Amino acid sequence: MTNSHAARGIDTSRPHSARMYDYYLGGKDHFEVDKQAAETVATAYPGIFVCARENRAFMHRATRVLAREHGIRQWLDIGTGIPTEPNLHQVAQSVVPDARVVYADNDPLVLKYAERLMRSTPQGRTTYIEADANDPETLLTAPELAEVLDLNRPVALSLNALMHFITDARDPYGIVGRLLDVLPSGSALALSHCTPDFDPQTWEKVTAIYTGAGTPVQFRAQKDVARFFDGLELLDPGIVVGHRWRPEAGQGHTATDEPPTDAQVSLWVGVGIKP
């Protein structure tokens, strides 16, 4: 990509977490500055590519479980990132064609590719809102949200690899609590969160790289990730490393692949239902 995007409000002078994530997944929607920062992370933590892949796979599985087993027909996906097919709405609508999905992100590059996020089935609906997770009120009062989601019916709040970009100074638990407060009984929280639990020294380096690039991060221990689910009923198997949450036969690794280690994945995930 070239710096011609700068005129459209896309900052190409420093790396962005969504574009770095695109690089980890093998995408092409990033700039040289993102590639350099991502490769610096990969030098310190080679497992980052596994982590990104397993995070994506968890989102797919959690979406299918909520659709098939818990009657969820609506999703609010915050921190969407650059579209990578299959997107959440494609996964949901493959199970329930009338699924409705609202995507939200604050990166202009995501907006540029948002048409990919809005190729819904005829029965369903999708939309994209440019909004910041740090400002839940603006997101919750966006007219696009009310046009697509019925907040009187259960909604799955999808926060994948997002909350470690919200430090304690910004009240991450308050933000998640506020989002859940407006959702009715039967709604769900599906969340994934990078962790230093398995290799603290490596994750200190990763923290320094992101923070030095202008993106403050706070990777959390399992007990701190568990706090996001306070008051919710956790689905089995609880809060586990990403690849251990309801693995599906025929999905993921081939017979010749070595399964990833917990340290490679370094991602706590869970799904909780609001009573």
Side-chain angles (χ1 to χ4, degrees):
M1 300 187 111
T2 69
N3 283 342
S4 63
H5 293 86
R8 287 178 251 175
I10 298 172
D11 183 359
T12 63
S13 66
R14 65 179 188 176
H16 188 286
S17 57
R19 302 192 301 257
M20 291 170 68
Y21 183 61
D22 175 75
Y23 178 81
Y24 301 144
L25 289 173
K28 298 179 180 179
D29 297 319
H30 53 265
F31 302 101
E32 184 63 27
V33 67
D34 306 305
K35 176 182 177 181
Q36 291 176 1
E39 289 183 343
T40 301
V41 171
T43 299
Y45 166 43
I48 188 63
F49 301 102
V50 176
C51 176
R53 184 184 71 218
E54 295 298 340
N55 178 68
R56 191 86 188 158
F58 162 72
M59 182 273 283
H60 291 171
R61 297 196 304 275
T63 300
R64 286 192 288 266
V65 166
L66 289 171
R68 287 173 181 159
E69 301 178 17
H70 297 274
I72 298 291
R73 299 294 182 269
Q74 305 185 106
W75 278 260
L76 174 56
D77 181 61
I78 305 176
T80 299
I82 294 164
T84 302
E85 293 192 359
N87 295 305
L88 188 151
H89 74 277
Q90 293 169 315
V91 176
Q93 291 176 348
S94 72
V95 181
V96 284
D98 61 340
R100 292 172 168 247
V101 179
V102 171
Y103 293 104
D105 204 293
N106 67 338
D107 185 355
L109 189 61
V110 180
L111 178 63
K112 178 179 182 293
Y113 289 100
E115 66 270 13
R116 291 189 204 167
L117 299 171
M118 293 186 280
R119 295 174 185 166
S120 174
T121 58
Q123 305 96 313
R125 286 282 303 279
T126 66
T127 194
Y128 174 81
I129 301 172
E130 188 168 7
D132 192 329
N134 289 290
D135 183 11
E137 297 305 323
T138 298
L139 171 59
L140 293 172
T141 56
E144 299 94 334
L145 183 77
E147 288 171 5
V148 174
L149 300 185
D150 178 358
L151 297 186
N152 294 309
R153 297 171 52 228
V155 175
L157 175 62
S158 181
L159 304 177
N160 289 294
L162 171 68
M163 298 312 296
H164 46 244
F165 293 110
I166 301 180
T167 64
D168 282 351
R170 293 185 174 271
D171 190 20
Y173 302 105
I175 289 171
V176 174
R178 176 70 185 104
L179 293 167
L180 288 171
D181 279 348
V182 304
L183 305 182
S185 174
S187 294
L189 170 64
L191 180 144
S192 61
H193 196 298
C194 288
T195 182
D197 283 357
F198 302 101
D199 190 351
Q201 291 183 331
T202 289
W203 282 89
E204 283 183 14
K205 296 175 185 176
V206 175
T207 299
I209 293 167
Y210 271 96
T211 302
T215 302
V217 289
Q218 186 168 347
F219 303 115
R220 295 180 173 93
Q222 185 184 32
K223 65 180 178 61
D224 298 315
V225 174
R227 286 183 58 195
F228 289 112
F229 294 92
D230 284 354
L232 304 181
E233 297 172 354
L234 276 171
L235 300 185
D236 289 337
I239 298 170
V240 296
V241 183
H243 62 304
R244 301 184 186 280
W245 196 92
R246 302 202 185 186
E248 297 173 348
Q251 298 280 333
H253 316 289
T254 67
T256 58
D257 284 342
E258 286 292 324
T261 65
D262 290 354
Q264 282 179 309
V265 178
S266 288
L267 188 79
W268 291 121
V269 307
V271 179
I273 304 294
K274 184 174 179 179

